[in-house]
Amino acid sequence: QSVFSLTSSSRLDVAIRCTADTDIRVRSSTVATIHVDSGGTTTTSATPFTGPGHDESWQSYRLPYVQDLTGVAVDNRWTIHVDETNINDARFAQREPLCDENGADFDYMSVQEWTIRGANTHPLHVHTYPMQVISDCGDHEDGEFYDTIVTSKNLPSTPASSSSLSSYPHSSHAKCKVRVKLIDVAGPVLIHCHIFQHAEQGAMGWMNVVGGPVQPNEPRVHHCPDGSLDCDPVPPPLPLCS
């Protein structure tokens, strides 16, 4: 196979066997060039698969932030309900973080399992950390990583009887499950509906990832009117859940 189709926010691992120099193209643009050393031998039976019949799956090396989480222990579970004007019944507030089921912040290096509701009409986008689909997330492939989740289009975005999460429809796409490892960097993390009009209306929030390295503060205005860099004071620390 020499042509692959990818959706947005997806990744692809390929093993390439070639006997001459070649280019790898994305939408007709060359993104990589492979050079084959001269004087080598050509093995037409070379394969990335193992086993007597070359029938065992090939596993590529995954960077730490996209390592498989399907078989690991979960440290914390959280339900995210995305609506047109809020997340978990809370409109965006700059000084009010989203908290987990226990009213706490989110620990650095923890493995999170999140149940996503409402993403049939309000795609959930998470900054910084990719989400691995575990089950029931519509057309998203189980086991793959995404930064935006969109589930089935045939469900209402809110419960039929009340605003309580417990009354939300119990069909497969109403309980999409993903896992996230909070790795590499800590600090505030933005999540929001990926329909920007809805995010601007309040379907946006942020959570604290605590206990890990944070990015240093830097001036939000890099060039002041007088040419200096000190006209933007360091903002006060963001509040914690507990």
Side-chain angles (χ1 to χ4, degrees), residues 68-100:
D68 187 14
L69 303 174
T70 57
V72 304
V74 173
D75 299 305
N76 187 49
R77 288 178 170 84
W78 188 37
T79 296
I80 307 175
H81 181 201
V82 191
D83 210 338
E84 185 171 340
T85 60
N86 62 79
I87 294 179
N88 287 358
D89 296 326
R91 296 172 66 93
F92 176 76
Q94 188 173 9
R95 304 290 300 173
E96 297 179 12
L98 294 169
C99 306
D100 71 5

Tab-separated table of all heavy atoms in Angstrom, residues 68-100:
chain	number	residue	atom	x	y	z
A	68	ASP	N	0.355	3.470	24.623
A	68	ASP	CA	-0.930	2.793	24.776
A	68	ASP	C	-1.362	2.758	26.243
A	68	ASP	O	-0.627	2.313	27.119
A	68	ASP	CB	-0.805	1.364	24.230
A	68	ASP	CG	-2.126	0.637	24.187
A	68	ASP	OD1	-3.180	1.288	24.318
A	68	ASP	OD2	-2.110	-0.596	24.022
A	69	LEU	N	-2.592	3.215	26.511
A	69	LEU	CA	-3.122	3.266	27.871
A	69	LEU	C	-4.227	2.242	28.099
A	69	LEU	O	-4.811	2.207	29.181
A	69	LEU	CB	-3.675	4.670	28.158
A	69	LEU	CG	-2.709	5.844	27.989
A	69	LEU	CD1	-3.446	7.166	28.169
A	69	LEU	CD2	-1.542	5.738	28.956
A	70	THR	N	-4.513	1.415	27.105
A	70	THR	CA	-5.669	0.518	27.225
A	70	THR	C	-5.487	-0.532	28.312
A	70	THR	O	-6.472	-0.998	28.890
A	70	THR	CB	-5.952	-0.174	25.885
A	70	THR	OG1	-4.769	-0.888	25.453
A	70	THR	CG2	-6.323	0.847	24.815
A	71	GLY	N	-4.264	-0.911	28.613
A	71	GLY	CA	-4.051	-1.969	29.590
A	71	GLY	C	-3.468	-1.508	30.905
A	71	GLY	O	-3.038	-2.337	31.724
A	72	VAL	N	-3.448	-0.202	31.142
A	72	VAL	CA	-2.829	0.319	32.364
A	72	VAL	C	-3.897	0.670	33.389
A	72	VAL	O	-5.079	0.850	33.056
A	72	VAL	CB	-1.955	1.554	32.068
A	72	VAL	CG1	-0.905	1.225	31.017
A	72	VAL	CG2	-2.813	2.721	31.597
A	73	ALA	N	-3.473	0.791	34.637
A	73	ALA	CA	-4.399	1.148	35.717
A	73	ALA	C	-4.798	2.607	35.598
A	73	ALA	O	-3.974	3.474	35.288
A	73	ALA	CB	-3.760	0.876	37.069
A	74	VAL	N	-6.059	2.881	35.869
A	74	VAL	CA	-6.591	4.239	35.796
A	74	VAL	C	-6.503	4.880	37.179
A	74	VAL	O	-6.901	4.290	38.185
A	74	VAL	CB	-8.043	4.236	35.301
A	74	VAL	CG1	-8.661	5.624	35.395
A	74	VAL	CG2	-8.102	3.708	33.868
A	75	ASP	N	-5.983	6.100	37.239
A	75	ASP	CA	-5.842	6.806	38.508
A	75	ASP	C	-7.074	7.629	38.878
A	75	ASP	O	-7.335	7.846	40.066
A	75	ASP	CB	-4.622	7.736	38.454
A	75	ASP	CG	-3.327	6.971	38.227
A	75	ASP	OD1	-3.047	6.045	39.006
A	75	ASP	OD2	-2.612	7.307	37.261
A	76	ASN	N	-7.795	8.092	37.866
A	76	ASN	CA	-8.922	8.982	38.159
A	76	ASN	C	-9.927	8.912	37.018
A	76	ASN	O	-9.546	8.790	35.847
A	76	ASN	CB	-8.425	10.418	38.324
A	76	ASN	CG	-9.507	11.364	38.800
A	76	ASN	OD1	-10.205	11.081	39.765
A	76	ASN	ND2	-9.664	12.483	38.117
A	77	ARG	N	-11.205	8.996	37.366
A	77	ARG	CA	-12.277	9.011	36.365
A	77	ARG	C	-13.065	10.310	36.483
A	77	ARG	O	-13.296	10.798	37.582
A	77	ARG	CB	-13.188	7.793	36.526
A	77	ARG	CG	-12.516	6.501	36.082
A	77	ARG	CD	-13.414	5.273	36.302
A	77	ARG	NE	-12.859	4.097	35.657
A	77	ARG	CZ	-11.931	3.311	36.202
A	77	ARG	NH1	-11.480	3.589	37.425
A	77	ARG	NH2	-11.462	2.273	35.548
A	78	TRP	N	-13.483	10.828	35.340
A	78	TRP	CA	-14.151	12.124	35.293
A	78	TRP	C	-15.155	12.118	34.157
A	78	TRP	O	-14.898	11.527	33.095
A	78	TRP	CB	-13.105	13.213	35.070
A	78	TRP	CG	-13.589	14.623	35.190
A	78	TRP	CD1	-14.510	15.126	36.057
A	78	TRP	CD2	-13.135	15.741	34.402
A	78	TRP	NE1	-14.658	16.478	35.884
A	78	TRP	CE2	-13.833	16.886	34.872
A	78	TRP	CE3	-12.217	15.885	33.369
A	78	TRP	CZ2	-13.636	18.153	34.338
A	78	TRP	CZ3	-12.012	17.143	32.838
A	78	TRP	CH2	-12.706	18.277	33.312
A	79	THR	N	-16.305	12.738	34.348
A	79	THR	CA	-17.309	12.890	33.301
A	79	THR	C	-17.304	14.330	32.816
A	79	THR	O	-17.352	15.267	33.618
A	79	THR	CB	-18.709	12.515	33.817
A	79	THR	OG1	-18.725	11.136	34.169
A	79	THR	CG2	-19.764	12.761	32.737
A	80	ILE	N	-17.232	14.503	31.492
A	80	ILE	CA	-17.260	15.824	30.878
A	80	ILE	C	-18.526	15.925	30.036
A	80	ILE	O	-18.712	15.158	29.094
A	80	ILE	CB	-16.029	16.072	29.983
A	80	ILE	CG1	-14.730	15.797	30.741
A	80	ILE	CG2	-16.034	17.499	29.447
A	80	ILE	CD1	-13.493	15.902	29.864
A	81	HIS	N	-19.391	16.849	30.377
A	81	HIS	CA	-20.609	17.097	29.613
A	81	HIS	C	-20.468	18.442	28.915
A	81	HIS	O	-20.408	19.486	29.575
A	81	HIS	CB	-21.829	17.099	30.539
A	81	HIS	CG	-23.117	17.338	29.808
A	81	HIS	ND1	-24.248	17.790	30.442
A	81	HIS	CD2	-23.452	17.197	28.503
A	81	HIS	CE1	-25.219	17.913	29.553
A	81	HIS	NE2	-24.759	17.569	28.373
A	82	VAL	N	-20.406	18.411	27.586
A	82	VAL	CA	-20.223	19.622	26.804
A	82	VAL	C	-21.580	20.084	26.292
A	82	VAL	O	-22.318	19.320	25.669
A	82	VAL	CB	-19.284	19.385	25.604
A	82	VAL	CG1	-18.886	20.714	24.967
A	82	VAL	CG2	-18.052	18.613	26.025
A	83	ASP	N	-21.922	21.334	26.553
A	83	ASP	CA	-23.174	21.910	26.077
A	83	ASP	C	-22.860	23.169	25.276
A	83	ASP	O	-21.697	23.545	25.127
A	83	ASP	CB	-24.099	22.215	27.256
A	83	ASP	CG	-25.569	22.118	26.877
A	83	ASP	OD1	-25.879	22.224	25.678
A	83	ASP	OD2	-26.410	21.938	27.782
A	84	GLU	N	-23.892	23.844	24.796
A	84	GLU	CA	-23.679	24.997	23.924
A	84	GLU	C	-23.093	26.184	24.657
A	84	GLU	O	-22.352	26.983	24.066
A	84	GLU	CB	-25.004	25.397	23.269
A	84	GLU	CG	-24.864	26.515	22.254
A	84	GLU	CD	-26.136	26.761	21.460
A	84	GLU	OE1	-26.988	25.850	21.426
A	84	GLU	OE2	-26.278	27.853	20.891
A	85	THR	N	-23.378	26.300	25.945
A	85	THR	CA	-22.921	27.478	26.695
A	85	THR	C	-22.141	27.119	27.950
A	85	THR	O	-21.832	28.015	28.752
A	85	THR	CB	-24.125	28.351	27.102
A	85	THR	OG1	-25.008	27.574	27.935
A	85	THR	CG2	-24.880	28.848	25.881
A	86	ASN	N	-21.806	25.843	28.154
A	86	ASN	CA	-21.125	25.475	29.394
A	86	ASN	C	-20.473	24.110	29.269
A	86	ASN	O	-20.752	23.348	28.343
A	86	ASN	CB	-22.122	25.476	30.572
A	86	ASN	CG	-23.229	24.458	30.390
A	86	ASN	OD1	-23.046	23.267	30.621
A	86	ASN	ND2	-24.406	24.925	29.959
A	87	ILE	N	-19.605	23.829	30.213
A	87	ILE	CA	-19.034	22.486	30.402
A	87	ILE	C	-19.321	22.080	31.841
A	87	ILE	O	-19.000	22.828	32.778
A	87	ILE	CB	-17.525	22.466	30.118
A	87	ILE	CG1	-17.266	22.748	28.628
A	87	ILE	CG2	-16.915	21.123	30.506
A	87	ILE	CD1	-15.798	22.783	28.251
A	88	ASN	N	-19.962	20.922	31.992
A	88	ASN	CA	-20.373	20.460	33.325
A	88	ASN	C	-21.177	21.532	34.068
A	88	ASN	O	-20.963	21.787	35.267
A	88	ASN	CB	-19.166	20.011	34.147
A	88	ASN	CG	-18.599	18.690	33.670
A	88	ASN	OD1	-19.125	18.080	32.748
A	88	ASN	ND2	-17.526	18.238	34.283
A	89	ASP	N	-22.100	22.159	33.323
A	89	ASP	CA	-23.012	23.162	33.876
A	89	ASP	C	-22.298	24.425	34.364
A	89	ASP	O	-22.888	25.214	35.109
A	89	ASP	CB	-23.855	22.577	35.023
A	89	ASP	CG	-24.782	21.465	34.548
A	89	ASP	OD1	-25.273	21.562	33.402
A	89	ASP	OD2	-25.016	20.518	35.302
A	90	ALA	N	-21.061	24.619	33.975
A	90	ALA	CA	-20.308	25.814	34.383
A	90	ALA	C	-19.861	26.581	33.143
A	90	ALA	O	-19.211	26.016	32.255
A	90	ALA	CB	-19.105	25.430	35.232
A	91	ARG	N	-20.225	27.851	33.070
A	91	ARG	CA	-19.740	28.709	31.996
A	91	ARG	C	-18.283	29.104	32.270
A	91	ARG	O	-17.827	29.076	33.408
A	91	ARG	CB	-20.610	29.962	31.882
A	91	ARG	CG	-22.047	29.679	31.480
A	91	ARG	CD	-22.895	30.920	31.585
A	91	ARG	NE	-22.485	31.938	30.626
A	91	ARG	CZ	-23.017	32.076	29.413
A	91	ARG	NH1	-23.977	31.255	29.021
A	91	ARG	NH2	-22.597	33.026	28.606
A	92	PHE	N	-17.580	29.462	31.214
A	92	PHE	CA	-16.170	29.803	31.364
A	92	PHE	C	-15.985	30.947	32.350
A	92	PHE	O	-16.688	31.965	32.300
A	92	PHE	CB	-15.563	30.200	30.025
A	92	PHE	CG	-14.136	30.655	30.138
A	92	PHE	CD1	-13.121	29.737	30.327
A	92	PHE	CD2	-13.811	32.005	30.096
A	92	PHE	CE1	-11.798	30.148	30.455
A	92	PHE	CE2	-12.499	32.430	30.220
A	92	PHE	CZ	-11.491	31.492	30.396
A	93	ALA	N	-15.038	30.766	33.248
A	93	ALA	CA	-14.654	31.811	34.187
A	93	ALA	C	-13.136	31.774	34.334
A	93	ALA	O	-12.567	30.721	34.624
A	93	ALA	CB	-15.333	31.612	35.544
A	94	GLN	N	-12.513	32.894	34.150
A	94	GLN	CA	-11.047	32.954	34.125
A	94	GLN	C	-10.422	32.543	35.448
A	94	GLN	O	-9.320	32.010	35.474
A	94	GLN	CB	-10.596	34.361	33.750
A	94	GLN	CG	-9.098	34.475	33.501
A	94	GLN	CD	-8.712	35.849	32.975
A	94	GLN	OE1	-9.532	36.767	32.949
A	94	GLN	NE2	-7.465	35.998	32.568
A	95	ARG	N	-11.126	32.726	36.561
A	95	ARG	CA	-10.564	32.428	37.875
A	95	ARG	C	-11.251	31.235	38.537
A	95	ARG	O	-11.115	31.049	39.744
A	95	ARG	CB	-10.695	33.655	38.780
A	95	ARG	CG	-10.069	34.930	38.242
A	95	ARG	CD	-8.570	34.901	38.220
A	95	ARG	NE	-7.994	34.722	39.542
A	95	ARG	CZ	-6.699	34.526	39.779
A	95	ARG	NH1	-5.845	34.464	38.765
A	95	ARG	NH2	-6.252	34.389	40.996
A	96	GLU	N	-11.973	30.414	37.763
A	96	GLU	CA	-12.664	29.261	38.336
A	96	GLU	C	-12.349	28.017	37.529
A	96	GLU	O	-12.884	27.826	36.435
A	96	GLU	CB	-14.176	29.509	38.380
A	96	GLU	CG	-14.584	30.667	39.261
A	96	GLU	CD	-16.092	30.893	39.259
A	96	GLU	OE1	-16.823	30.008	38.759
A	96	GLU	OE2	-16.526	31.952	39.748
A	97	PRO	N	-11.475	27.138	38.037
A	97	PRO	CA	-11.102	25.937	37.281
A	97	PRO	C	-12.200	24.881	37.314
A	97	PRO	O	-13.071	24.869	38.189
A	97	PRO	CB	-9.851	25.443	38.022
A	97	PRO	CG	-10.063	25.902	39.428
A	97	PRO	CD	-10.759	27.233	39.319
A	98	LEU	N	-12.140	23.976	36.346
A	98	LEU	CA	-12.953	22.772	36.385
A	98	LEU	C	-12.291	21.778	37.329
A	98	LEU	O	-11.061	21.608	37.303
A	98	LEU	CB	-13.080	22.171	34.989
A	98	LEU	CG	-13.840	23.005	33.951
A	98	LEU	CD1	-13.649	22.407	32.558
A	98	LEU	CD2	-15.310	23.096	34.312
A	99	CYS	N	-13.091	21.111	38.154
A	99	CYS	CA	-12.559	20.175	39.141
A	99	CYS	C	-13.075	18.777	38.837
A	99	CYS	O	-14.096	18.601	38.153
A	99	CYS	CB	-12.971	20.595	40.552
A	99	CYS	SG	-12.523	22.318	40.947
A	100	ASP	N	-12.394	17.750	39.348
A	100	ASP	CA	-12.810	16.372	39.076
A	100	ASP	C	-14.009	15.996	39.939
A	100	ASP	O	-14.599	16.825	40.631
A	100	ASP	CB	-11.638	15.406	39.251
A	100	ASP	CG	-11.219	15.219	40.703
A	100	ASP	OD1	-11.888	15.757	41.617
A	100	ASP	OD2	-10.219	14.520	40.936
